[in-house]
Amino acid sequence: MSERSDSDDVGEHVRTELIQFVRALRRDGAAVPANAAPTAARALAAVGLENRRRVRTALRASLLTDSADFETFDRLFEAFWRRLTAGLEDERSLSSLAAESDGLAPLGEPAVDENAPGESTDSDHAGRATGRSLAESFATAAPADTDADSDDTEATAALYSPSGVASTVDGRALTDAGDLSTAFRELTRALAGLQGRRFEPGSDRAAIRRALRTSVSTGGTVLSLPKRERQRTDVRALVVVDVSQSVIDAVDRGFLIDVLRQARRHWRDTRVFFFDEELREVTEAVDAPSSQAAIAALEAAETAWGGGTQIGGSLEGLRERAPDAIDRRTVVFVISDGLDRGDVGVLERELSWIARRAKRVLWLNPLAATASYEPAARGMAAALPYIDGLFAFADPSDVVELARQLRQQGVGGRIGYEFDTRENRQTTTRTVTNT
Amino acid sequence: MEDEPTTAFADVTERDVHTAFEEQDYVAEDEIVTTVLLALRLGKPLLVEGEPGAGKTELAKVLASSLGDELIRLQCYEGLTAEHALYEWNYTKQLLAVQSGADPEASVFSEDYLLERPLLRALRHDGDFPPVLLIDEIDRADDEFEALLLEVLSDFQVSVPELGTVSAERPPIVIVTSNRTRALSDALKRRCLYLHVEPPSVEKETAILCRKVPQLDGVVATELCAMAARLREEPLRKPPGAAETIDWARAIATMRDDGDGTLSRETLQNTLGCLLKEVEDVERVDDDLLTDLLDAAEQARADP
């Protein structure tokens, strides 16, 4: 245990300002652990108060746990430093404080810092030409703009509208829940089957280590051979839905809502975002007691259907506002036709970030339900290198096909709309449901 | 207030850490030096986050080399369990002992049958100096493993049911790295000091190359770093880190047979595989981008 507590090492003024600083950080949304303030006090005692850069580094290391909070920290630190130094000067000069307080031992070579109120000098080490090795130290101390896709879609489908007119949701043509339930169960099984390396008791292969362990108690006789198999873990997902006019004209809204509700109900952790020209989270609204209630909740929340599409900008908003929504366990579904009126460079940049972070990225495109579909739209073409599969998405049979391909080929295999072998795909032309 | 472990590095100074980094050719900003020093002086684990290739693992290696003692590395992966990280019983040896019936009174759950794994080895380390325990890519492990780590990281001890509690006489220096592919638990984070390692700037990367690949001409090193920086502006699936740039520089240094101090388009094209590891990223480098890269190199040469 430390010989002294932080209370011995820093003065009342420093403690007070530190507590105020921690409160301000928390108030502005930074994730500061409960025990961070005492740790920060010890850190200040270790680095001293003479050098602004060291104080800043010490507090960043001890108070923060996420680089996303750096901006908040930097903004609040300026005020903290002003109050701290002003208070210290009121009590005594900084130099005399450093000399009197053995708990604020300087750290050797002072760093160059034009903002520091005074440069510290390390009398203990000033005579040294070079620093000691760490081992020596230890020893001494030790104790917008596409049209290609539209050309291929059926005439009754809505053409791409660069800035469609927004309309609030209404529920029509709800899909047969039975069909979707079966399809969704298949999808869940397929996604769970993709999961990692962890084993659990099962039937796939012999568990040699467990067999040896249990045989110790029987003198080395193996009475039964335990088996193990890859663990099926719960599905975690993020669903980002393009609700621009061109998409909702091509997909059954009831079907879409039911898919989202099934995902919320059956998967471990699913967050749902809608976007057109901006992004908004609708997870809570999707959780309403029934599909109609969910749609009503979305209406009440003034979620607009239709309008233009800024896919890249919306994904940028996702990264900025909810970066923790995606991690290596998350399967990301983007439901969009890929008709983007935003900056395609932004789309590429954001998708590359998502692809690096997510477990899988699957793009569900209602236009891909058409047999002659080709991802020639600028946004869709830009997205292709960053996604693990592009699939049709218009009715429950598309969900079944998605699950079938995932189960048979795995995500690394030959999957996607181009390997959709449904016979009716060659003859059926999707019609718009929004009539 | 919770008790803090005794630290053996109360006398270490910032200059010491800086010198240690210098001797190991590890280019570090002041912020890294100060944070490492704090971790040593406070005896707290250091959680290091940053993009792949930013030098997180290297940091632990440098510390281990500077201390002149052992680097104990635990590489995390999905499915990592206590028996792989802590200890395991030598079942084969136990079986032989039971079958031979040499000493019926002796327990087969004793030290003789214990196989140490990295965490236990770090706690029971018996050297003159503390070891450096590198828990690499903790974000790849499961939540359950994180929970297992908590006792180790806060108290530097672990409970072995058959042996009792094992405590470290000299707490190891713990470096935990994460690529941020998933969020870590608050319980883990609050036990650690936090350091975010930024991707290297062109200047820092040039300094790294000059140290790591001394046979490479300094001007060429500047060119390579400028091109790597330009490449990172592209939305790549796997942007090159400093480690890839070093590989690239070594390849260039090996291939170079002229002394004119410039890189040809052909050389650039033939060696891009050292930088880019995804086929989509390689395909992205078309003639236009190659021209941009060479322009960036030329500008760096003209304006060092």
Side-chain angles (χ1 to χ4, degrees), chain A residues 67 107 109 209 328 385-386, chain B residues 15 41 88 139 181 235 237:
Chain A
S67 57
L107 293 172
E109 185 74 6
R209 182 181 283 118
R328 67 168 176 78
Y386 306 101
Chain B
R15 183 196 289 268
R41 289 188 109 176
E88 195 171 8
D139 49 328
T181 61
R237 287 183 77 105

Side-chain angles (χ1 to χ4, degrees), chain A residues 201-262:
Chain A
S203 57
D204 280 359
R205 61 176 81 175
I208 302 299
R209 182 181 283 118
R210 193 136 48 94
L212 280 170
R213 189 163 60 232
T214 53
S215 68
V216 169
S217 60
T218 56
T221 305
V222 177
L223 298 177
S224 65
L225 187 60
K227 297 282 190 73
R228 62 179 187 165
E229 66 181 13
R230 296 284 183 196
Q231 188 180 49
R232 290 180 183 278
T233 52
D234 295 326
V235 179
R236 300 166 197 253
L238 168 72
V239 189
V240 190
V241 187
D242 180 349
V243 291
S244 63
Q245 189 74 51
S246 56
V247 174
I248 60 170
D249 279 355
V251 65
D252 184 318
R253 298 175 194 183
F255 163 67
L256 174 62
I257 292 292
D258 278 353
V259 168
L260 299 177
R261 287 169 53 72
Q262 296 264 8

